[in-house]
Amino acid sequence: MILSRVLRTRALQAPPLRVLQSLNRHASTSAAQDTQKPYYVTTPIFYPNAVPHIGHLHTLVSADILARFRRLTHPHQPVHFLTGTDEHGLKIQKAAREKGMEELAFCDSISERFRELAEKADISHTRFIRTTEQAHHDAVTHLWRELDAKGLIYKDTYSGWYSISDEAFYTDAQITRTVHPKTATEVVTSTETGSVVTYSSEITYKFRLSQFREALHAHFLANPTAIRPKSYYDQVLSWVSTEEGGALDDLSISRPRERLTWGVPVPGDEEHTIYVWIDALTVYLTGAGYPFKDLDGVAGGWPSDVQVVGKDILRFHAVYFPAILLALSLPLPQTLLTHAHWTAEQRKMSKSVGNVADPGEAMEAYGVDGVRYYMAKVGGRFKDDVDWSPVQAEKHLDEIRSLLGNFFLRITSKAIAGKLNTLSDSAPSLAELASASYLAESGEGEKHTHNREVLASLETLGDTARGYLENMEVAEALDAIVARLKLANASLTHTAPWASTTSPGLARASYLTSLETLRVCGILLQSFIPGTAGKLLDGLGVGPEERTWEWAAVGKGGDTTREVKGVPLFEGKRK
């Protein structure tokens, strides 16, 4: 029996710190070897008790930007990108019964909505996983047995607070008591999430989480970039700190079958169902091929390089999951990118309030890349909640439409083409354009200075944007690219190559400078607005083999002019 075996091993200790240090060394070494390990990006698996909302899309887009960036900078390394749906637990059981449906049929219908969302948003995931898959069921069962074999699971009475909405247990220290203003009744909620909790007392299985506090604390002290942004890192560090957080309580990891039938049964005890978060967290291992045939799962991409999560599920991913990995002697994820939430009119989105933004409707109204651009520009700093607003969505769509789409059409206009056709000499190289002597004798050198400033700004753009994205500063990277587009647009206005007073030589200099700006920025924008960037690069005649990050440098695409076809990058107007 599980219980009797575990009772004999209550005094077991957590893995020594030297084991943790070895795991960390292994993770960093294997992550650096492109040929040995795929780059592994994950989103949370979404809970399909309701249709997708704008927050789900933000998570998908954020992860997709990082996955695409990796493909551009490491084109020979496979990128494994996992997303999917979390289909077990009380919320699903309750929602399905309210609809009068079988749980699996209910999950089938809602899960498909999340799959469709990912496809519509041009998300480049390589695996859409569902926790109702047999492979995952087998992985969860295997993980439970491994933990049990190590003496880390025991049966005990759980008494405390539970939130069906969060599918989470909370201690007295994690709840807030208030009085309802109308009914004068006490309302108890989770301090972290604001979700209503109820008190329960029942026999459950527990995981010896308390044994891993020291190892977790040591890990995060040694790896200050393990959680980004830093404000969330500081929060996690306080949770596992003796001084501030105290000892971690052992975690209840099952529910009586009489309360929860929709889930994976506890191996050897059909009267209990495995806690939905243990089930859900295991999915990252399942996606990498767990139970691993090789020693550590490197071939499947483990450990994960980036896990993108919302701040409301930080504790599960930053405390519970790493503790389980330590228990299994598996390497920990490299980085947990945590993002804040989207609000509407500065209020939390809620069905009852009626302010939930539909991501499908948003993409219909502003275009897929219009929405992706807005989310990266506004939500890509991750630290603070940001507001979804139709006014702001339209504003940001107009910005990128003007800076990129209209810019491309302006530089490929018939007026400029006509001037270029009057030139008979060979086109100057970009190096010649960047020199102070070019056009100096013609009297137009001062105007050409604007073009030279643009070319100079592009010299550092690839490295600048790369540095930001490697630090997972998505908005800052996009801002750097947009700043160059603004500079190039201003330069075009100053030089006015279409004007009758502008010489053909200056017109050509402005034309080539603008095309180089579009080429470099177009390569870098593939991470953010892939569909639009692809159309731009097609129009510029940039071949598929010249679209990786190394080509985003001035002159890298060659100094001769290509056959360029000005095409609309953004179709139609907002509905």
PDB file of all heavy atoms in Angstrom, residues 14-17 19-21 23-24 147 150 152 207 211-217 219-220 319-332:
ATOM      1  N   ALA A  14      15.197  16.278   1.499  1.00  0.00           N
ATOM      2  CA  ALA A  14      15.221  16.765   0.119  1.00  0.00           C
ATOM      3  C   ALA A  14      16.590  16.479  -0.485  1.00  0.00           C
ATOM      4  O   ALA A  14      17.567  16.252   0.230  1.00  0.00           O
ATOM      5  CB  ALA A  14      14.946  18.263   0.098  1.00  0.00           C
ATOM      6  N   PRO A  15      16.692  16.486  -1.825  1.00  0.00           N
ATOM      7  CA  PRO A  15      17.990  16.267  -2.450  1.00  0.00           C
ATOM      8  C   PRO A  15      19.003  17.294  -1.961  1.00  0.00           C
ATOM      9  O   PRO A  15      18.666  18.456  -1.771  1.00  0.00           O
ATOM     10  CB  PRO A  15      17.689  16.474  -3.951  1.00  0.00           C
ATOM     11  CG  PRO A  15      16.235  16.210  -4.080  1.00  0.00           C
ATOM     12  CD  PRO A  15      15.624  16.666  -2.796  1.00  0.00           C
ATOM     13  N   PRO A  16      20.241  16.908  -1.706  1.00  0.00           N
ATOM     14  CA  PRO A  16      21.242  17.859  -1.250  1.00  0.00           C
ATOM     15  C   PRO A  16      21.483  18.934  -2.303  1.00  0.00           C
ATOM     16  O   PRO A  16      21.208  18.745  -3.497  1.00  0.00           O
ATOM     17  CB  PRO A  16      22.484  16.988  -1.044  1.00  0.00           C
ATOM     18  CG  PRO A  16      22.275  15.791  -1.913  1.00  0.00           C
ATOM     19  CD  PRO A  16      20.794  15.553  -1.896  1.00  0.00           C
ATOM     20  N   LEU A  17      22.014  20.078  -1.862  1.00  0.00           N
ATOM     21  CA  LEU A  17      22.228  21.208  -2.771  1.00  0.00           C
ATOM     22  C   LEU A  17      23.192  20.854  -3.891  1.00  0.00           C
ATOM     23  O   LEU A  17      23.113  21.416  -4.976  1.00  0.00           O
ATOM     24  CB  LEU A  17      22.747  22.416  -1.983  1.00  0.00           C
ATOM     25  CG  LEU A  17      21.751  23.030  -0.996  1.00  0.00           C
ATOM     26  CD1 LEU A  17      22.355  24.275  -0.358  1.00  0.00           C
ATOM     27  CD2 LEU A  17      20.443  23.376  -1.692  1.00  0.00           C
ATOM     28  N   VAL A  19      23.205  18.249  -5.641  1.00  0.00           N
ATOM     29  CA  VAL A  19      22.400  17.687  -6.723  1.00  0.00           C
ATOM     30  C   VAL A  19      21.786  18.802  -7.537  1.00  0.00           C
ATOM     31  O   VAL A  19      21.798  18.799  -8.774  1.00  0.00           O
ATOM     32  CB  VAL A  19      21.307  16.755  -6.170  1.00  0.00           C
ATOM     33  CG1 VAL A  19      20.404  16.286  -7.295  1.00  0.00           C
ATOM     34  CG2 VAL A  19      21.942  15.568  -5.465  1.00  0.00           C
ATOM     35  N   LEU A  20      21.241  19.811  -6.840  1.00  0.00           N
ATOM     36  CA  LEU A  20      20.659  20.964  -7.523  1.00  0.00           C
ATOM     37  C   LEU A  20      21.695  21.665  -8.385  1.00  0.00           C
ATOM     38  O   LEU A  20      21.439  22.029  -9.532  1.00  0.00           O
ATOM     39  CB  LEU A  20      20.091  21.928  -6.479  1.00  0.00           C
ATOM     40  CG  LEU A  20      19.569  23.275  -7.001  1.00  0.00           C
ATOM     41  CD1 LEU A  20      18.398  23.037  -7.943  1.00  0.00           C
ATOM     42  CD2 LEU A  20      19.160  24.165  -5.851  1.00  0.00           C
ATOM     43  N   GLN A  21      22.907  21.857  -7.840  1.00  0.00           N
ATOM     44  CA  GLN A  21      23.953  22.537  -8.592  1.00  0.00           C
ATOM     45  C   GLN A  21      24.328  21.742  -9.835  1.00  0.00           C
ATOM     46  O   GLN A  21      24.572  22.300 -10.906  1.00  0.00           O
ATOM     47  CB  GLN A  21      25.165  22.745  -7.692  1.00  0.00           C
ATOM     48  CG  GLN A  21      24.895  23.747  -6.564  1.00  0.00           C
ATOM     49  CD  GLN A  21      25.875  23.633  -5.415  1.00  0.00           C
ATOM     50  OE1 GLN A  21      26.724  22.739  -5.413  1.00  0.00           O
ATOM     51  NE2 GLN A  21      25.769  24.530  -4.452  1.00  0.00           N
ATOM     52  N   LEU A  23      22.336  19.739 -11.502  1.00  0.00           N
ATOM     53  CA  LEU A  23      21.236  19.871 -12.453  1.00  0.00           C
ATOM     54  C   LEU A  23      21.315  21.198 -13.184  1.00  0.00           C
ATOM     55  O   LEU A  23      21.094  21.281 -14.393  1.00  0.00           O
ATOM     56  CB  LEU A  23      19.898  19.757 -11.712  1.00  0.00           C
ATOM     57  CG  LEU A  23      19.564  18.398 -11.099  1.00  0.00           C
ATOM     58  CD1 LEU A  23      18.266  18.479 -10.322  1.00  0.00           C
ATOM     59  CD2 LEU A  23      19.475  17.329 -12.173  1.00  0.00           C
ATOM     60  N   ASN A  24      21.639  22.263 -12.456  1.00  0.00           N
ATOM     61  CA  ASN A  24      21.737  23.574 -13.073  1.00  0.00           C
ATOM     62  C   ASN A  24      22.868  23.628 -14.090  1.00  0.00           C
ATOM     63  O   ASN A  24      22.733  24.211 -15.165  1.00  0.00           O
ATOM     64  CB  ASN A  24      21.947  24.654 -12.000  1.00  0.00           C
ATOM     65  CG  ASN A  24      20.696  24.915 -11.198  1.00  0.00           C
ATOM     66  OD1 ASN A  24      19.599  24.689 -11.692  1.00  0.00           O
ATOM     67  ND2 ASN A  24      20.849  25.392  -9.966  1.00  0.00           N
ATOM     68  N   LEU A 147       7.387   9.710  -7.618  1.00  0.00           N
ATOM     69  CA  LEU A 147       7.386  10.459  -6.363  1.00  0.00           C
ATOM     70  C   LEU A 147       7.080   9.549  -5.183  1.00  0.00           C
ATOM     71  O   LEU A 147       7.689   9.649  -4.113  1.00  0.00           O
ATOM     72  CB  LEU A 147       6.363  11.602  -6.422  1.00  0.00           C
ATOM     73  CG  LEU A 147       6.631  12.735  -7.412  1.00  0.00           C
ATOM     74  CD1 LEU A 147       5.479  13.730  -7.414  1.00  0.00           C
ATOM     75  CD2 LEU A 147       7.948  13.447  -7.090  1.00  0.00           C
ATOM     76  N   LYS A 150       9.936   7.397  -4.055  1.00  0.00           N
ATOM     77  CA  LYS A 150      10.946   8.142  -3.309  1.00  0.00           C
ATOM     78  C   LYS A 150      10.460   8.517  -1.911  1.00  0.00           C
ATOM     79  O   LYS A 150      11.157   9.224  -1.172  1.00  0.00           O
ATOM     80  CB  LYS A 150      11.332   9.407  -4.082  1.00  0.00           C
ATOM     81  CG  LYS A 150      12.050   9.135  -5.398  1.00  0.00           C
ATOM     82  CD  LYS A 150      12.281  10.427  -6.170  1.00  0.00           C
ATOM     83  CE  LYS A 150      12.995  10.159  -7.486  1.00  0.00           C
ATOM     84  NZ  LYS A 150      14.407   9.775  -7.297  1.00  0.00           N
ATOM     85  N   LEU A 152       7.891  10.449  -1.125  1.00  0.00           N
ATOM     86  CA  LEU A 152       7.537  11.861  -1.059  1.00  0.00           C
ATOM     87  C   LEU A 152       6.030  12.100  -1.096  1.00  0.00           C
ATOM     88  O   LEU A 152       5.587  13.244  -1.181  1.00  0.00           O
ATOM     89  CB  LEU A 152       8.218  12.614  -2.209  1.00  0.00           C
ATOM     90  CG  LEU A 152       9.746  12.661  -2.099  1.00  0.00           C
ATOM     91  CD1 LEU A 152      10.368  13.178  -3.380  1.00  0.00           C
ATOM     92  CD2 LEU A 152      10.168  13.524  -0.913  1.00  0.00           C
ATOM     93  N   PHE A 207       2.134  15.889  -0.960  1.00  0.00           N
ATOM     94  CA  PHE A 207       3.513  15.868  -1.457  1.00  0.00           C
ATOM     95  C   PHE A 207       4.383  16.633  -0.461  1.00  0.00           C
ATOM     96  O   PHE A 207       4.001  17.710   0.013  1.00  0.00           O
ATOM     97  CB  PHE A 207       3.580  16.518  -2.839  1.00  0.00           C
ATOM     98  CG  PHE A 207       4.969  16.807  -3.324  1.00  0.00           C
ATOM     99  CD1 PHE A 207       5.873  15.783  -3.545  1.00  0.00           C
ATOM    100  CD2 PHE A 207       5.380  18.118  -3.568  1.00  0.00           C
ATOM    101  CE1 PHE A 207       7.164  16.052  -3.994  1.00  0.00           C
ATOM    102  CE2 PHE A 207       6.658  18.388  -4.017  1.00  0.00           C
ATOM    103  CZ  PHE A 207       7.555  17.356  -4.231  1.00  0.00           C
ATOM    104  N   GLN A 211      10.097  19.861   2.201  1.00  0.00           N
ATOM    105  CA  GLN A 211      11.482  19.414   2.169  1.00  0.00           C
ATOM    106  C   GLN A 211      12.324  20.114   1.104  1.00  0.00           C
ATOM    107  O   GLN A 211      13.542  19.960   1.070  1.00  0.00           O
ATOM    108  CB  GLN A 211      11.539  17.901   1.940  1.00  0.00           C
ATOM    109  CG  GLN A 211      10.970  17.087   3.079  1.00  0.00           C
ATOM    110  CD  GLN A 211      11.246  15.603   2.917  1.00  0.00           C
ATOM    111  OE1 GLN A 211      11.969  15.198   2.017  1.00  0.00           O
ATOM    112  NE2 GLN A 211      10.673  14.792   3.797  1.00  0.00           N
ATOM    113  N   PHE A 212      11.679  20.895   0.265  1.00  0.00           N
ATOM    114  CA  PHE A 212      12.395  21.475  -0.880  1.00  0.00           C
ATOM    115  C   PHE A 212      12.583  22.982  -0.777  1.00  0.00           C
ATOM    116  O   PHE A 212      13.069  23.604  -1.721  1.00  0.00           O
ATOM    117  CB  PHE A 212      11.663  21.102  -2.173  1.00  0.00           C
ATOM    118  CG  PHE A 212      11.675  19.633  -2.449  1.00  0.00           C
ATOM    119  CD1 PHE A 212      10.663  18.815  -1.952  1.00  0.00           C
ATOM    120  CD2 PHE A 212      12.719  19.052  -3.138  1.00  0.00           C
ATOM    121  CE1 PHE A 212      10.682  17.452  -2.172  1.00  0.00           C
ATOM    122  CE2 PHE A 212      12.751  17.691  -3.371  1.00  0.00           C
ATOM    123  CZ  PHE A 212      11.739  16.884  -2.878  1.00  0.00           C
ATOM    124  N   ARG A 213      12.205  23.576   0.347  1.00  0.00           N
ATOM    125  CA  ARG A 213      12.330  25.027   0.463  1.00  0.00           C
ATOM    126  C   ARG A 213      13.779  25.471   0.314  1.00  0.00           C
ATOM    127  O   ARG A 213      14.099  26.417  -0.415  1.00  0.00           O
ATOM    128  CB  ARG A 213      11.765  25.509   1.796  1.00  0.00           C
ATOM    129  CG  ARG A 213      11.693  27.035   1.889  1.00  0.00           C
ATOM    130  CD  ARG A 213      11.799  27.524   3.311  1.00  0.00           C
ATOM    131  NE  ARG A 213      13.035  27.126   3.937  1.00  0.00           N
ATOM    132  CZ  ARG A 213      14.214  27.709   3.704  1.00  0.00           C
ATOM    133  NH1 ARG A 213      14.302  28.702   2.836  1.00  0.00           N
ATOM    134  NH2 ARG A 213      15.304  27.275   4.312  1.00  0.00           N
ATOM    135  N   GLU A 214      14.692  24.808   1.024  1.00  0.00           N
ATOM    136  CA  GLU A 214      16.094  25.216   0.979  1.00  0.00           C
ATOM    137  C   GLU A 214      16.670  25.105  -0.431  1.00  0.00           C
ATOM    138  O   GLU A 214      17.385  26.006  -0.901  1.00  0.00           O
ATOM    139  CB  GLU A 214      16.914  24.359   1.941  1.00  0.00           C
ATOM    140  CG  GLU A 214      18.376  24.774   2.016  1.00  0.00           C
ATOM    141  CD  GLU A 214      19.198  23.870   2.916  1.00  0.00           C
ATOM    142  OE1 GLU A 214      18.621  22.967   3.557  1.00  0.00           O
ATOM    143  OE2 GLU A 214      20.431  24.066   2.958  1.00  0.00           O
ATOM    144  N   ALA A 215      16.360  24.014  -1.118  1.00  0.00           N
ATOM    145  CA  ALA A 215      16.882  23.831  -2.483  1.00  0.00           C
ATOM    146  C   ALA A 215      16.293  24.858  -3.443  1.00  0.00           C
ATOM    147  O   ALA A 215      16.996  25.379  -4.319  1.00  0.00           O
ATOM    148  CB  ALA A 215      16.569  22.421  -2.971  1.00  0.00           C
ATOM    149  N   LEU A 216      15.011  25.164  -3.291  1.00  0.00           N
ATOM    150  CA  LEU A 216      14.381  26.183  -4.128  1.00  0.00           C
ATOM    151  C   LEU A 216      15.006  27.550  -3.870  1.00  0.00           C
ATOM    152  O   LEU A 216      15.306  28.302  -4.810  1.00  0.00           O
ATOM    153  CB  LEU A 216      12.875  26.234  -3.869  1.00  0.00           C
ATOM    154  CG  LEU A 216      12.053  25.050  -4.371  1.00  0.00           C
ATOM    155  CD1 LEU A 216      10.628  25.125  -3.838  1.00  0.00           C
ATOM    156  CD2 LEU A 216      12.042  25.005  -5.900  1.00  0.00           C
ATOM    157  N   HIS A 217      15.197  27.864  -2.601  1.00  0.00           N
ATOM    158  CA  HIS A 217      15.797  29.148  -2.247  1.00  0.00           C
ATOM    159  C   HIS A 217      17.193  29.266  -2.842  1.00  0.00           C
ATOM    160  O   HIS A 217      17.554  30.301  -3.420  1.00  0.00           O
ATOM    161  CB  HIS A 217      15.848  29.277  -0.720  1.00  0.00           C
ATOM    162  CG  HIS A 217      16.204  30.642  -0.247  1.00  0.00           C
ATOM    163  ND1 HIS A 217      17.246  30.888   0.624  1.00  0.00           N
ATOM    164  CD2 HIS A 217      15.666  31.858  -0.529  1.00  0.00           C
ATOM    165  CE1 HIS A 217      17.333  32.186   0.859  1.00  0.00           C
ATOM    166  NE2 HIS A 217      16.383  32.796   0.174  1.00  0.00           N
ATOM    167  N   HIS A 219      18.363  27.698  -5.449  1.00  0.00           N
ATOM    168  CA  HIS A 219      18.266  27.783  -6.913  1.00  0.00           C
ATOM    169  C   HIS A 219      17.995  29.208  -7.368  1.00  0.00           C
ATOM    170  O   HIS A 219      18.665  29.716  -8.277  1.00  0.00           O
ATOM    171  CB  HIS A 219      17.157  26.857  -7.405  1.00  0.00           C
ATOM    172  CG  HIS A 219      16.807  27.077  -8.844  1.00  0.00           C
ATOM    173  ND1 HIS A 219      17.641  26.716  -9.890  1.00  0.00           N
ATOM    174  CD2 HIS A 219      15.704  27.648  -9.431  1.00  0.00           C
ATOM    175  CE1 HIS A 219      17.082  27.046 -11.044  1.00  0.00           C
ATOM    176  NE2 HIS A 219      15.916  27.616 -10.792  1.00  0.00           N
ATOM    177  N   PHE A 220      17.036  29.851  -6.746  1.00  0.00           N
ATOM    178  CA  PHE A 220      16.680  31.197  -7.201  1.00  0.00           C
ATOM    179  C   PHE A 220      17.740  32.228  -6.825  1.00  0.00           C
ATOM    180  O   PHE A 220      17.959  33.187  -7.584  1.00  0.00           O
ATOM    181  CB  PHE A 220      15.303  31.589  -6.664  1.00  0.00           C
ATOM    182  CG  PHE A 220      14.185  30.802  -7.296  1.00  0.00           C
ATOM    183  CD1 PHE A 220      13.333  30.026  -6.530  1.00  0.00           C
ATOM    184  CD2 PHE A 220      14.009  30.808  -8.671  1.00  0.00           C
ATOM    185  CE1 PHE A 220      12.319  29.276  -7.115  1.00  0.00           C
ATOM    186  CE2 PHE A 220      13.006  30.068  -9.275  1.00  0.00           C
ATOM    187  CZ  PHE A 220      12.165  29.304  -8.498  1.00  0.00           C
ATOM    188  N   VAL A 319       7.117  27.449  -7.695  1.00  0.00           N
ATOM    189  CA  VAL A 319       7.362  26.746  -6.436  1.00  0.00           C
ATOM    190  C   VAL A 319       7.018  25.262  -6.563  1.00  0.00           C
ATOM    191  O   VAL A 319       7.874  24.389  -6.389  1.00  0.00           O
ATOM    192  CB  VAL A 319       6.564  27.379  -5.278  1.00  0.00           C
ATOM    193  CG1 VAL A 319       6.812  26.610  -3.980  1.00  0.00           C
ATOM    194  CG2 VAL A 319       6.955  28.844  -5.097  1.00  0.00           C
ATOM    195  N   TYR A 320       5.772  24.957  -6.884  1.00  0.00           N
ATOM    196  CA  TYR A 320       5.336  23.562  -6.900  1.00  0.00           C
ATOM    197  C   TYR A 320       6.045  22.746  -7.979  1.00  0.00           C
ATOM    198  O   TYR A 320       6.571  21.658  -7.710  1.00  0.00           O
ATOM    199  CB  TYR A 320       3.820  23.470  -7.111  1.00  0.00           C
ATOM    200  CG  TYR A 320       2.991  24.191  -6.079  1.00  0.00           C
ATOM    201  CD1 TYR A 320       1.670  24.526  -6.328  1.00  0.00           C
ATOM    202  CD2 TYR A 320       3.517  24.550  -4.831  1.00  0.00           C
ATOM    203  CE1 TYR A 320       0.890  25.186  -5.383  1.00  0.00           C
ATOM    204  CE2 TYR A 320       2.754  25.210  -3.883  1.00  0.00           C
ATOM    205  CZ  TYR A 320       1.444  25.531  -4.170  1.00  0.00           C
ATOM    206  OH  TYR A 320       0.685  26.196  -3.237  1.00  0.00           O
ATOM    207  N   PHE A 321       6.055  23.261  -9.204  1.00  0.00           N
ATOM    208  CA  PHE A 321       6.646  22.492 -10.301  1.00  0.00           C
ATOM    209  C   PHE A 321       8.149  22.293 -10.124  1.00  0.00           C
ATOM    210  O   PHE A 321       8.655  21.160 -10.262  1.00  0.00           O
ATOM    211  CB  PHE A 321       6.331  23.156 -11.632  1.00  0.00           C
ATOM    212  CG  PHE A 321       6.727  22.353 -12.847  1.00  0.00           C
ATOM    213  CD1 PHE A 321       6.475  20.991 -12.915  1.00  0.00           C
ATOM    214  CD2 PHE A 321       7.356  22.965 -13.921  1.00  0.00           C
ATOM    215  CE1 PHE A 321       6.838  20.244 -14.038  1.00  0.00           C
ATOM    216  CE2 PHE A 321       7.715  22.230 -15.046  1.00  0.00           C
ATOM    217  CZ  PHE A 321       7.462  20.875 -15.099  1.00  0.00           C
ATOM    218  N   PRO A 322       8.925  23.339  -9.804  1.00  0.00           N
ATOM    219  CA  PRO A 322      10.357  23.108  -9.571  1.00  0.00           C
ATOM    220  C   PRO A 322      10.626  22.117  -8.437  1.00  0.00           C
ATOM    221  O   PRO A 322      11.575  21.334  -8.506  1.00  0.00           O
ATOM    222  CB  PRO A 322      10.888  24.506  -9.226  1.00  0.00           C
ATOM    223  CG  PRO A 322       9.949  25.438  -9.902  1.00  0.00           C
ATOM    224  CD  PRO A 322       8.604  24.782  -9.783  1.00  0.00           C
ATOM    225  N   ALA A 323       9.794  22.148  -7.404  1.00  0.00           N
ATOM    226  CA  ALA A 323       9.989  21.185  -6.303  1.00  0.00           C
ATOM    227  C   ALA A 323       9.793  19.756  -6.795  1.00  0.00           C
ATOM    228  O   ALA A 323      10.551  18.849  -6.425  1.00  0.00           O
ATOM    229  CB  ALA A 323       9.017  21.496  -5.169  1.00  0.00           C
ATOM    230  N   ILE A 324       8.795  19.543  -7.634  1.00  0.00           N
ATOM    231  CA  ILE A 324       8.558  18.208  -8.192  1.00  0.00           C
ATOM    232  C   ILE A 324       9.741  17.780  -9.065  1.00  0.00           C
ATOM    233  O   ILE A 324      10.189  16.636  -9.014  1.00  0.00           O
ATOM    234  CB  ILE A 324       7.250  18.193  -8.992  1.00  0.00           C
ATOM    235  CG1 ILE A 324       6.054  18.335  -8.036  1.00  0.00           C
ATOM    236  CG2 ILE A 324       7.113  16.924  -9.828  1.00  0.00           C
ATOM    237  CD1 ILE A 324       4.741  18.583  -8.735  1.00  0.00           C
ATOM    238  N   LEU A 325      10.266  18.712  -9.850  1.00  0.00           N
ATOM    239  CA  LEU A 325      11.413  18.396 -10.700  1.00  0.00           C
ATOM    240  C   LEU A 325      12.637  18.037  -9.858  1.00  0.00           C
ATOM    241  O   LEU A 325      13.386  17.109 -10.187  1.00  0.00           O
ATOM    242  CB  LEU A 325      11.725  19.577 -11.618  1.00  0.00           C
ATOM    243  CG  LEU A 325      10.657  19.907 -12.665  1.00  0.00           C
ATOM    244  CD1 LEU A 325      10.994  21.211 -13.371  1.00  0.00           C
ATOM    245  CD2 LEU A 325      10.510  18.779 -13.670  1.00  0.00           C
ATOM    246  N   LEU A 326      12.855  18.779  -8.787  1.00  0.00           N
ATOM    247  CA  LEU A 326      13.959  18.459  -7.887  1.00  0.00           C
ATOM    248  C   LEU A 326      13.783  17.058  -7.301  1.00  0.00           C
ATOM    249  O   LEU A 326      14.738  16.296  -7.178  1.00  0.00           O
ATOM    250  CB  LEU A 326      14.048  19.492  -6.769  1.00  0.00           C
ATOM    251  CG  LEU A 326      14.541  20.887  -7.154  1.00  0.00           C
ATOM    252  CD1 LEU A 326      14.392  21.846  -5.979  1.00  0.00           C
ATOM    253  CD2 LEU A 326      15.983  20.852  -7.630  1.00  0.00           C
ATOM    254  N   ALA A 327      12.540  16.742  -6.953  1.00  0.00           N
ATOM    255  CA  ALA A 327      12.256  15.417  -6.390  1.00  0.00           C
ATOM    256  C   ALA A 327      12.571  14.314  -7.392  1.00  0.00           C
ATOM    257  O   ALA A 327      12.983  13.213  -7.014  1.00  0.00           O
ATOM    258  CB  ALA A 327      10.796  15.344  -5.958  1.00  0.00           C
ATOM    259  N   LEU A 328      12.395  14.617  -8.673  1.00  0.00           N
ATOM    260  CA  LEU A 328      12.639  13.633  -9.729  1.00  0.00           C
ATOM    261  C   LEU A 328      14.063  13.701 -10.270  1.00  0.00           C
ATOM    262  O   LEU A 328      14.412  12.967 -11.205  1.00  0.00           O
ATOM    263  CB  LEU A 328      11.653  13.858 -10.881  1.00  0.00           C
ATOM    264  CG  LEU A 328      10.169  13.675 -10.562  1.00  0.00           C
ATOM    265  CD1 LEU A 328       9.307  14.122 -11.731  1.00  0.00           C
ATOM    266  CD2 LEU A 328       9.868  12.228 -10.197  1.00  0.00           C
ATOM    267  N   SER A 329      14.879  14.592  -9.681  1.00  0.00           N
ATOM    268  CA  SER A 329      16.267  14.797 -10.137  1.00  0.00           C
ATOM    269  C   SER A 329      16.326  15.209 -11.601  1.00  0.00           C
ATOM    270  O   SER A 329      17.204  14.783 -12.358  1.00  0.00           O
ATOM    271  CB  SER A 329      17.109  13.533  -9.909  1.00  0.00           C
ATOM    272  OG  SER A 329      17.180  13.230  -8.534  1.00  0.00           O
ATOM    273  N   LEU A 330      15.396  16.062 -11.999  1.00  0.00           N
ATOM    274  CA  LEU A 330      15.351  16.587 -13.360  1.00  0.00           C
ATOM    275  C   LEU A 330      15.773  18.055 -13.364  1.00  0.00           C
ATOM    276  O   LEU A 330      15.522  18.782 -12.396  1.00  0.00           O
ATOM    277  CB  LEU A 330      13.942  16.463 -13.947  1.00  0.00           C
ATOM    278  CG  LEU A 330      13.452  15.051 -14.252  1.00  0.00           C
ATOM    279  CD1 LEU A 330      11.988  15.071 -14.671  1.00  0.00           C
ATOM    280  CD2 LEU A 330      14.299  14.421 -15.355  1.00  0.00           C
ATOM    281  N   PRO A 331      16.411  18.521 -14.444  1.00  0.00           N
ATOM    282  CA  PRO A 331      16.804  19.930 -14.526  1.00  0.00           C
ATOM    283  C   PRO A 331      15.579  20.851 -14.476  1.00  0.00           C
ATOM    284  O   PRO A 331      14.503  20.496 -14.950  1.00  0.00           O
ATOM    285  CB  PRO A 331      17.497  20.031 -15.892  1.00  0.00           C
ATOM    286  CG  PRO A 331      17.861  18.640 -16.257  1.00  0.00           C
ATOM    287  CD  PRO A 331      16.825  17.763 -15.644  1.00  0.00           C
ATOM    288  N   LEU A 332      15.769  22.024 -13.906  1.00  0.00           N
ATOM    289  CA  LEU A 332      14.688  23.002 -13.807  1.00  0.00           C
ATOM    290  C   LEU A 332      14.619  23.863 -15.066  1.00  0.00           C
ATOM    291  O   LEU A 332      15.627  24.044 -15.759  1.00  0.00           O
ATOM    292  CB  LEU A 332      14.895  23.894 -12.578  1.00  0.00           C
ATOM    293  CG  LEU A 332      14.361  23.361 -11.244  1.00  0.00           C
ATOM    294  CD1 LEU A 332      15.001  22.034 -10.873  1.00  0.00           C
ATOM    295  CD2 LEU A 332      14.572  24.387 -10.136  1.00  0.00           C
TER     296      LEU A 332
END
